[in-house]
Amino acid sequence: MTQKEYLDKNQERFINELLDWLRIPSVSADSAFKDDVKRAADFVADKLRLAGADNVVVEPTAGHPIVYGEKLIDPSKPTVLVYGHYDVQPSVPDHLWDTPPFDPTIRDGKIYARGACDDKGQAYMHVKAFETMMQTNSLTCNVKFMIEGEEEVGSANLGTYCRANKEKLACDVILISDTSMIANDTPSLDVGLRGLTYMEIEVTGPSIDLHSGVYGGAVANPANVICTMIASLHDENRHITIPGFYDNVVELTAEEREAMAQTPFDLDEYKRELKIQDVMGETGYSTIERTGIRPTLDVNGIWGGYTGEGSKTVLPSKASAKISMRLVPNQNWERIAQLFTEHMQRIAPPSVTVTVTPHHGGNPYMTPSDSKAYAAAVAALKESFGKDPVPTRSGGSIPIVALFEEVLGVKSILMGFGLDSDAIHSPNEKFGIFNFLKGIETIPLFFKYFG
Ligand code: BES
Ligand code: MN
Ligand code: MN
């Protein structure tokens, strides 16, 4: 049987298995879901075993487990390490979902569920592609699977696991489907991921909440202060004002920017899809440059004072914010955390105290486009889509990818099959069945060309 025949014959089962996996709410951020996270790990471990992987283990860590499995066919053949994650983002706010986040539903050829695209749907393409290669006797490379359960919370324990298992994880390339492509008729390959520094700040004024009439105007209001501090982090050109922030930023050459401007992108459609009147960002850069090659700073959450029903006249004692900074080559996330901390302390007025706490981070990453593996990915996408893939640089982060390079000395190929419109991390996350099946069709072609 050919791969195509096997896929056609089994596609319905592949989809149903994915739906079963999506029913397990593997939310890594919330300890209430700890057992579900473990169940999701066991589920994929079983599927790897059934597909023919050897030495499948669910490795416990200080946090959520890592699923490992392998099929080593011939030491003279190249080895592909497949990385993915089975944990998902919280589904809240649940009332904004048209159908429940953990009761996957198929509508208009798309699977709606938390994790459908990010990353269970995409990780599962690899399990089924592997099954297909095993069943059609066409596996051309050694393969190792490493599917983790902490990507959405910063992969804190995966680094330790990699350092402790360098031999076991030895490989020629790491293959990842956890990014998006331009459109279903425009395949693309991600050649860059932004890094991330995630911080929390807390501003404290008076030791207790005060009457805002009796004290307002005379005592520092931490909510006012945090807003002023955050507002000052960008200048009128939307440049970030933290001293030293841009020190190591690699500027693209005019030719590189010219090449990037060729990327298919429709600003009107972008605005329409996001239901915004206009875009906003750093002066002098296009929208795809703003997310692809420029560092950014965003408030992810901000709170303090009275937020309940009605009004309460109160001058809050504290105000807080969670702030992320997306980084580009060659910024270092720990240095940026340091610069941010020093700057916030420096700009805080003497009437308040500020505590700055780092959460997690990771360095930016670039995939070289002159490697054998990159050529194999281009050939695979070209064969399955009938078109050359467009190189893109995504705005998102997979912090562990830079660490793979540092610890294992291996580069990653980012061959994602999602779409930016799949609403990952948002209500009504989805993944096209076309995309799921196209992934299962394309992955074996990568193995063919790489082997
Ligand atoms: N799969 C995403 C990253 C992504 C999405 C890259 C789309 C490129 C295009 C990943 O699961 C993710 O959400 N990463 C987080 C970082 C993590 C430390 C929480 C992110 O980018 O916010
Ligand atoms: Mn992901
Ligand atoms: Mn994610």
Side-chain angles (χ1 to χ4, degrees), residues 255-319:
E255 295 79 58
E256 287 169 321
R257 291 185 70 184
E258 184 52 42
M260 218 179 153
Q262 304 307 311
T263 311
F265 177 76
D266 183 337
L267 187 60
D268 288 324
E269 192 187 316
Y270 184 82
K271 289 195 271 192
R272 212 174 316 117
E273 217 161 68
L274 297 176
K275 301 188 171 70
I276 52 173
Q277 295 300 315
D278 205 354
V279 292
M280 186 170 109
E282 191 179 357
T283 306
Y285 294 92
S286 69
T287 294
I288 54 170
E289 287 178 331
R290 286 169 179 170
T291 58
I293 61 166
R294 298 299 294 168
T296 50
L297 181 152
D298 278 287
V299 175
N300 293 245
I302 182 164
W303 66 98
Y306 184 69
T307 56
E309 196 183 329
S311 60
K312 178 189 181 197
T313 50
V314 68
L315 191 160
S317 158
K318 285 177 189 297

Side-chain angles (χ1 to χ4, degrees), residues 148-431:
E148 70 151 321
E150 296 190 304
E151 196 278 340
E152 300 291 9
V153 288
S155 303
N157 294 294
L158 190 62
T160 314
Y161 179 80
C162 290
R163 286 194 183 89
N165 291 282
K166 280 193 214 174
E167 281 291 291
K168 177 169 169 163
L169 300 173
C171 59
D172 299 288
V173 70
I174 298 167
L175 182 62
I176 305 174
S177 296
D178 191 24
T179 52
S180 42
M181 54 182 199
I182 294 176
N184 282 357
D185 59 0
T186 314
S188 56
L189 266 172
D190 230 306
V191 295
L193 288 169
R194 288 199 290 183
L196 180 66
T197 296
Y198 200 113
M199 308 293 288
E200 182 160 336
I201 101 162
E202 185 185 68
V203 176
T204 306
S207 64
I208 48 166
D209 289 2
L210 301 173
H211 190 288
S212 63
V214 177
Y215 295 100
V219 174
N221 178 331
N224 293 8
V225 170
I226 204 170
C227 289
T228 309
M229 288 172 70
I230 290 169
S232 78
L233 297 177
H234 288 99
D235 69 14
E236 66 282 6
N237 290 313
R238 312 278 318 150
H239 288 296
I240 293 155
T241 57
I242 300 169
F245 186 83
Y246 290 97
D247 278 0
N248 302 305
V249 169
V250 174
E251 300 281 347
L252 265 63
T253 62
E255 295 79 58
E256 287 169 321
R257 291 185 70 184
E258 184 52 42
M260 218 179 153
Q262 304 307 311
T263 311
F265 177 76
D266 183 337
L267 187 60
D268 288 324
E269 192 187 316
Y270 184 82
K271 289 195 271 192
R272 212 174 316 117
E273 217 161 68
L274 297 176
K275 301 188 171 70
I276 52 173
Q277 295 300 315
D278 205 354
V279 292
M280 186 170 109
E282 191 179 357
T283 306
Y285 294 92
S286 69
T287 294
I288 54 170
E289 287 178 331
R290 286 169 179 170
T291 58
I293 61 166
R294 298 299 294 168
T296 50
L297 181 152
D298 278 287
V299 175
N300 293 245
I302 182 164
W303 66 98
Y306 184 69
T307 56
E309 196 183 329
S311 60
K312 178 189 181 197
T313 50
V314 68
L315 191 160
S317 158
K318 285 177 189 297
S320 300
K322 293 184 191 279
I323 295 176
S324 68
M325 287 159 280
R326 298 286 168 167
L327 313 178
V328 300
N330 288 325
Q331 288 175 296
N332 173 279
W333 80 269
E334 282 159 313
R335 179 179 148 80
I336 295 295
Q338 178 74 32
L339 293 176
F340 177 89
T341 305
E342 287 165 8
H343 184 66
M344 292 315 251
Q345 295 294 359
R346 199 180 315 122
I347 65 173
S351 48
V352 298
T353 56
V354 171
T355 40
V356 184
T357 317
H359 279 275
H360 52 64
N363 286 332
Y365 175 78
M366 291 290 289
T367 300
S369 51
D370 58 359
S371 72
K372 209 183 117 201
Y374 189 81
V378 169
L381 287 162
K382 188 171 181 176
E383 185 169 333
S384 67
F385 286 86
K387 266 189 194 176
D388 270 323
V390 180
T392 56
R393 289 183 60 171
S394 89
S397 309
I398 310 175
I400 203 68
V401 176
L403 202 116
F404 287 155
E405 180 173 14
E406 205 182 298
V407 174
L408 304 174
V410 183
K411 287 281 190 180
S412 296
I413 294 291
L414 303 161
M415 195 166 75
F417 293 89
L419 297 175
D420 281 344
S421 56
D422 281 340
I424 63 171
H425 297 204
S426 299
N428 299 313
E429 176 178 352
K430 60 179 175 295
F431 192 38

